[in-house]
Amino acid sequence: MKGRLRVTSPAYREPYPAVPESRLTELEEQLGARLPEPYRVYLAAQDGGALEGYNNHGIEIILGIGEVPKWSSLWYLLGQERDVIPGGWIPVGTDAGGGLFLLVVTAQDRGSVWYQSSELEEDDDGVSHPVVRERLADSWDEFLASIEPVEA
């Protein structure tokens, strides 16, 4: 199809099975917004997983919302990191240093994927902000397609 991005899937060391519709609905109800369709389709087919080897983005885990280990649960990270995650954004992945990969679910950048470092700095008002927050892709499909293995 013209203008349609061909999505390749990253290699998984430990893939998680598809999530039931009820978990998607539960997350959307909690967020007060429908998930961007490419991400919703992804979770309905595969609920994240641990990636194989090293890649250009440094992402190690794509978070799941179903029956996944606590360390790879979107629910857990959303609770733990709520102070540093902007409103209308959700964590969708992590790197080895605690950096977050975030998906915008509301607002003008809806559907875009960002990287946010775990390193924080305090502004003059005493409010902590991530040192790095960078846009990686305009959509979930574009982000998945951009993940390329690198040799260690």
Side-chain angles (χ1 to χ4, degrees):
M1 288 184 171
K2 186 178 179 186
R4 187 130 174 110
L5 183 64
R6 188 177 82 85
V7 178
T8 57
S9 180
Y12 292 87
R13 179 177 77 246
E14 183 182 347
Y16 302 139
V19 70
E21 178 68 27
S22 61
R23 292 298 277 178
L24 292 167
T25 302
E26 181 181 351
L27 179 57
E28 289 172 336
E29 287 173 357
Q30 180 175 328
L31 297 172
R34 184 163 170 88
L35 295 169
E37 202 58 29
Y39 183 63
R40 195 175 209 289
V41 167
Y42 170 83
L43 291 176
Q46 179 175 334
D47 193 21
L51 298 182
E52 183 71 48
Y54 299 99
N55 60 68
N56 57 321
H57 293 301
I59 187 169
E60 289 193 330
I61 304 291
I62 296 179
L63 302 173
I65 65 170
E67 298 301 316
V68 299
K70 181 173 146 180
W71 49 265
S72 62
S73 169
L74 181 148
W75 301 102
Y76 177 73
L77 226 46
L78 195 55
Q80 291 295 109
E81 302 289 341
R82 71 178 148 262
D83 295 342
V84 295
I85 297 174
W89 297 36
I90 59 171
V92 293
T94 60
D95 68 12
L100 300 174
F101 293 84
L102 303 168
L103 177 70
V104 182
V105 295
T106 62
Q108 75 182 51
D109 287 325
R110 186 175 192 282
S112 60
V113 179
W114 296 69
Y115 174 74
Q116 177 175 292
S117 69
S118 60
E119 187 180 350
L120 302 173
E121 61 186 4
E122 219 172 82
D123 64 18
D124 293 338
D125 297 326
V127 177
S128 293
H129 300 279
V131 171
V132 174
R133 185 179 291 147
E134 108 183 80
R135 186 183 190 119
L136 299 176
D138 292 335
S139 72
W140 181 251
D141 287 347
E142 183 181 312
F143 174 67
L144 285 182
S146 74
I147 298 173
E148 297 176 1
V150 295
E151 300 208 14

